[in-house]
Amino acid sequence: MGTELLAPLDLAFWHLESDAHPMHLGALAVFSPAPGPARGADADTVLELLGTRAAAIPRLRMRVRDVLLPVGGAAWFVDKDFDVHRHIERVRLTGAQSRDEGGEFMAGATRLAGELMERPLERGLPPWQMYVIGGLDGGPFAVLVKLHHALADGMRAVAIGAGIFDEIAAAGRPRTGAPARRARTVPPRSWMPGPRQVAGLALGRIEDLGRAFGVGASMVRASRLDPRGAPALTASSSGTRRLATADLDLEAVRRIRRAAGGTTNDVLLAVVAGALRRWMRERGEPLPEEDPRALVPVSRRRPGQTASGNKLSAYLLGLPVGEPDPWRRLALVRTAMDRNKAAGPFRGAGAVAVLADQLPSLAHRFGAPLAGNAARMLFDVLVTSVPLPRSALSLGGCPLRAVYPMAPLARGQSLAIALSAYGGRVRVGLVADGKALPDLDRLARCADDEVAELLALLTTR
């Protein structure tokens, strides 16, 4: 893998970062001890295994360097001094937290993961880090993975990170005695585009610019000079991070979807709206005059596309926290998301990533601080769904029991929510500014309460 320019959107994420606003994605993967008398791998074995497998993933050996052209641009280069041991670290828990008793392990692991998410990745190295948390006395352990958003979007991050698991690492190894693949002969082709190609490129560029202009105009119309969303969701950054997790019953979510129509994601977005309403009322906080806006990322990857970097757009969704009826909230979310989908992922103010993909490198280098500060004018909270492999996974023979995804925080915002389905549960990762939202665990419980109420009401419909 040689030099590769950062795409405009990847460059935007690279320059949006500051010490108080690290722009990395995260995932907390929790493993149970392996079955049988061996009880699986100890922490040192896991560290060695992670190092071997991470070093075999070409993308994780790349770092970012500035380039002369395009002006303001940057590119991925192979790090000739790459040392995987710089990227993998063990973090110990106390003796009580190392055992899976009374939720002590998860409490300790999530607290540590929140603190580790505060740390920006070192920019002179390949931008990723892994931490092994716990792993004593044959008990459970966790692996926290951090990947810079410039490296990948959620779907691509899953594809990169999945290489650490036993099943996927084994599938990538060549079979013993298997014949080498013959290289496909490709006829030479001139680097000079022909007239039809030139015309096609010009038309495509005109369409892209027209699309970007439409998105920009939508953003101006949708921006709020005086946001009146929930005060709890907007805060001056303290640079601290707190993590909380929730586990929702996937079958319950599907039952609700079958009764209400729409998609599983519609149900989860309605659950987020209901959880926020419950949480605000429990805090004694007045409900906002204007529904808080969620930015809901949507992938622009075509089926089978494996390109690196970010291929994203997003929808804007008003979360109906003012509506007291849970089923009515769900109907409002479904209607709004149907409207978004009808317009498509390339239109509307939420398609800010599409606009970023059309800006020159120099604009990202110097305009990133302004763009970061403008996020609050457009949305209040990020809510993203990250797909995971459906098959059972393991690491060193230890079964993966849960994965909690984590999203970065935008400037002026105190909460980001990410969701993934695995093992019959929807795992929810809530990342918050630690000082702005010290009661994040309460919000996590409210999500479970919201699913329970929707399910209870289902029997009376």
Side-chain angles (χ1 to χ4, degrees):
M1 182 178 288
T3 303
E4 175 190 337
L5 283 174
L6 268 73
L9 182 54
D10 303 339
L11 195 62
F13 285 127
W14 188 249
H15 289 309
L16 276 170
E17 184 167 68
S18 68
D19 287 343
H21 295 91
M23 289 301 299
H24 48 254
L25 309 169
L28 182 66
V30 182
F31 296 87
S32 298
R39 302 294 287 168
D42 59 22
D44 292 334
T45 303
V46 170
L47 279 172
E48 183 179 350
L49 196 58
L50 283 175
T52 301
R53 291 179 180 173
I57 300 171
R59 198 72 196 169
L60 297 184
R61 304 176 71 94
M62 308 285 284
R63 69 184 184 92
V64 176
R65 279 176 24 199
D66 292 343
V67 294
L68 294 176
L69 292 174
V71 178
W76 293 104
F77 290 81
V78 175
D79 185 359
K80 295 180 180 178
D81 299 318
F82 176 76
D83 181 358
V84 74
H85 298 100
R86 293 179 177 179
H87 299 268
I88 298 177
E89 181 181 339
R90 181 181 177 186
V91 184
R92 289 174 169 81
L93 296 172
T94 66
Q97 290 176 337
S98 294
R99 295 182 293 273
D100 201 12
E101 297 174 3
E104 287 288 332
F105 172 76
M106 276 304 300
T110 52
R111 179 187 58 79
L112 270 175
E115 294 173 1
L116 294 169
M117 287 294 287
E118 294 176 10
R119 305 179 186 176
L121 294 163
E122 189 172 339
R123 292 172 77 86
L125 298 175
W128 63 274
Q129 196 77 28
M130 295 184 191
Y131 302 89
V132 178
I133 300 174
L136 293 176
D137 303 325
F141 66 92
V143 175
L144 174 65
V145 180
K146 293 164 52 175
L147 296 174
H148 200 285
H149 214 329
L151 184 66
D153 54 30
M155 290 184 68
R156 184 62 181 154
V158 169
I160 293 173
I164 69 171
F165 294 112
D166 298 338
E167 296 76 10
I168 296 170
R173 290 196 296 266
R175 289 175 298 162
T176 303
R181 290 186 180 180
R182 295 179 59 184
R184 222 164 28 108
T185 303
V186 180
R189 187 170 57 178
S190 171
W191 64 271
M192 288 287 290
R196 290 185 180 180
Q197 290 173 293
V198 170
L201 289 170
L203 286 173
R205 184 61 179 159
I206 290 170
E207 289 175 359
D208 288 342
L209 291 173
R211 182 183 296 139
F213 181 82
V215 172
S218 297
M219 286 178 59
V220 171
R221 290 193 298 268
S223 295
R224 305 164 297 179
L225 296 178
D226 181 23
R228 291 178 293 168
L233 300 181
T234 56
S236 298
S237 176
S238 67
T240 61
R241 291 292 180 271
R242 182 180 293 270
L243 171 66
T245 62
D247 293 86
L248 310 179
D249 186 338
L250 180 57
E251 181 54 34
V253 171
R254 287 172 173 166
R255 283 184 60 192
I256 294 165
R257 177 194 59 78
R258 288 193 291 267
T263 67
T264 298
N265 200 47
D266 293 342
V267 176
L268 294 175
L269 289 167
V271 167
V272 168
L276 287 172
R277 175 186 170 86
R278 290 171 181 272
W279 176 66
M280 291 173 192
R281 289 173 67 85
E282 285 184 12
R283 292 175 123 219
E285 185 176 309
L287 296 176
E289 298 176 22
E290 181 181 299
D291 286 338
R293 288 180 180 175
L295 188 73
V296 183
V298 56
S299 176
R300 292 191 284 132
R301 292 184 186 276
R302 301 184 187 94
Q305 187 180 31
T306 58
S308 60
N310 289 268
K311 298 290 182 183
L312 290 173
S313 184
Y315 299 135
L316 273 185
L317 171 69
L319 296 171
V321 300
E323 171 55 54
D325 184 336
W327 281 91
R328 175 64 179 158
R329 280 197 298 271
L330 176 51
L332 290 171
V333 166
R334 180 186 172 190
T335 299
M337 287 301 289
D338 285 347
R339 191 183 306 119
N340 278 327
K341 293 168 191 173
F346 297 99
R347 296 185 180 184
V352 59
V354 175
L355 175 61
D357 239 353
Q358 303 305 319
L359 296 178
S361 302
L362 206 57
H364 289 304
R365 182 175 291 272
F366 294 107
L370 181 62
N373 291 325
R376 181 184 171 187
M377 298 169 61
L378 193 62
F379 66 97
D380 302 294
V381 59
L382 177 74
V383 184
T384 182
S385 293
V386 182
L388 294 178
R390 295 183 180 181
S391 58
L393 300 172
S394 62
L395 177 61
C398 299
L400 175 67
R401 74 183 193 196
V403 180
Y404 299 96
M406 287 169 274
L409 289 181
R411 282 185 176 90
Q413 296 174 351
S414 56
L415 177 66
I417 301 172
L419 311 100
S420 287
Y422 179 80
R425 311 287 293 178
V426 178
R427 315 292 181 169
V428 186
L430 301 99
V431 176
D433 183 283
K435 291 187 177 178
L437 300 184
D439 58 343
L440 191 62
D441 288 336
R442 183 188 298 177
L443 177 56
R445 289 193 298 271
C446 287
D448 197 47
D449 292 342
E450 184 68 11
V451 172
E453 183 172 1
L454 279 165
L455 202 58
L457 292 172
L458 179 59
T459 62
T460 64
R461 286 173 61 84

